[in-house]
Amino acid sequence: MSTLRKLEIEQVSPRLLEVLRREGLTSLTPFQSAAVDGGILRGESQILQTYDYEEAYQIAEISLLNRVASDFKTRALVLCPNPHQAEKRFHSLSYRCNRLGIEATAIIRRRTAIGDAWKGGRVIVATFRSLDIALRVHPDAFEGIECLLTDRLDLIGQPRLGAKLETVLVTLMGMNTELQHVVVSPPVADVEDLSSWLGARIVEDTKTDMKRIFSVKAFESVNESLADLTEFVQYRRGQVAILCSNIHACEELAAQLTGMSDASKESSLDLRLTPEHRDDLGHLSRDIMGRYSECETSVMLGRTVSRGVAFIHEGIARSQRRIISGAWEDGLMPVIIMPTRFAIASGLRATVVFLIGVFMQDLVGDLADKEELTQLSEWQLSDVLSSIGKRGVDNEAFGIVVVGTQTERHRVLARYFVEDSEGNISPRLGEVDSSMDNPENAQDLVLRQLCSDHTKEEDPFSILDRTFWAATNRVTQISRDGLMLADDADVEALISLRSTKSTATRAREIPDEDVRLVSINPNKIEGLVHSRSRDLWHHVVVRAGEGVSCTCESWKYQGIRKHRLCKHLVRFANFALQNDETKPYAASVIRQSLRGLEILGELERAGLMQPDGKGFRCTKLGRSVTVLGVSVSDSKRVNKALGHAGNKLATILIDVAVARTGMPRKAIAGVLDAVQTRDMEKVVKCEQHGPGIVENCLEELHYINSILVGIMGGKAGKELKREIRKLDKNLVATLDAFS
């Protein structure tokens, strides 16, 4: 059946049909047809599960536009993970909306979010972070949203970004219980839980039009081996993406592969580029170096691009990232190198993806030159390796994890991959692991609910009931005393709250003979758990007053930061509950070591709320913290900065910016000093950090400065208000100069 006929049967808006006809849309794919048959055009919520995000987004956008075009009162929202994706989606949507007579607006940057130019849009495109700000500053502006298109729902499992996404979804769900969810997501292990949470039907893409091959390689000389494999792929006209742990590793590898460093020349690439290709790369290089031309990062990027290798990360300017992304999608750039954290949700696909190790560094630690690393979760590794292959371009695609030793190779295979009956391996599907049990995230939600002008009669804890974490873990109440489970829950249920399903499965595979008891008392239980993959014993401790610990890498590099137990702790806790010696104390010790979230107590001690009769009310500081988006743990620093009338504006801005972002104080202070003194040359040179970090600091400072007068009230004297207005002009002028 032709596209138009199938859509006509579904009573799609005639104006939208005409727009699609003029664009040359002639047929729906089987996957898109399945979504239509499932009622996506009739207001049914759906999870479109596929690795072909563009195909899924196309039918999702058609359903959204049809709903808006069919009812002049309806408004819709499109959520994207990053500004680049949001700009692409807005370009597509705004063209179609213009043809349909529908106003489309975008909330992509912080300064857009705090303004009101986007409020008139019936279709709004926003990033997760920008919409979070807009909901804090303009909660009234989202009345009438009836359709929500979420691009990459699985990113709920991503640290920081995932909390923003879940917060936004929970807030919007509270505004409209009949909200239609149209979701684009790759396959995940707990898609059924997501489906139940959103009340959405799962539509799965079953086609296999590309051969995907995965492997784990152990190389003695990683760079030389990468050079050989990359040259082979390029000769076959493929594109290669290399993922490293941090910014320094990316830039160093780019210099080595292009022969710009003093390292062995054997690790440099010979891409055998044609003269025409070299000319195109030369034009691209000059275009990149034309922006922030005095910045060392820009100069180096321009030189590597001219040799066919680009590196991209948060330190690269927005305009430069757009150029590189466009060249990559057009097939002009042969090799791209980026941090693993940046690759997650970047939307960039490659013929071959090389993942260098299974550890990465977060942005804050990277900028502060800290050596703290985080081990990739199963979901994160699956996400980056599943970005292989461009449909319609590649017949085969390869995802390769590169490690240094055979021992590490066997360990990676055992943890992250599954093997089919024919011996082929593929990444283990990870779980979307919500971070809403992180105290700061839960407290932020409760405080927002408490300080809202629209939910005076609603229990502030009711917002937590709508979270994905609460829905999947049988949580019935979170209160001042802590976390309450369902009536039939026991200590084992509490253990499951702090571990993923895959971790619990691997824990059950550890035999009894691999668990040993070392010591026991009413407050602490110690033991050993044997790791057969590494042939060593891990020391595990469960303490009533201090929590839990394990000597394994999973706990050190991942669990301790994400409040997630490793398999050794899960196995030992269950062992302690069954062992005759430990049984009398185990339940009590485990309950106290895995103590629940304390919400109201922390908020009250921080001065963000106070008792009011039988309930509680939000304080002025609580409202300020809510609008600023500062965590409860940092609220004291913010209170100190805002509470002293004698504080200089620079001190207030820097303190709040550091509390909000965790970025190095030196970086923020340097940018602010350059703006205040109008030293544009210092801003352009970006000596300490790349231009992308400078732009991020500028936007953060502008956001805080814009709402400072309102939250300080009478404490902001005439002189301070004049200084704020002056700085606002300088910040806007600087941002406009580099946007």
Side-chain angles (χ1 to χ4, degrees), residues 80 83 93 110 125 132 141 195 208 291 324 334 394 439 441 447 465 501 531 538:
C80 301
L93 265 171
R110 294 178 185 85
V125 180
D132 179 61
S195 172
T208 54
R291 294 163 169 80
I324 294 171
D394 299 320
N441 296 332
L447 187 63
D465 297 335
K501 295 176 182 177
S531 172
H538 294 298

Side-chain angles (χ1 to χ4, degrees), residues 55 75 111-112 143 172 176 238 252 254 303 321 328 486 526 571 577 619 632 665 687:
E55 179 185 354
R75 301 176 69 202
R111 57 176 175 157
T112 309
E143 299 293 335
L172 292 171
N176 182 3
E252 184 178 41
R303 292 175 63 191
R321 291 203 295 262
W328 178 261
E526 291 184 81
R571 182 66 180 89
L577 290 171
T619 64
V632 174
R665 187 181 187 88
E687 296 173 351

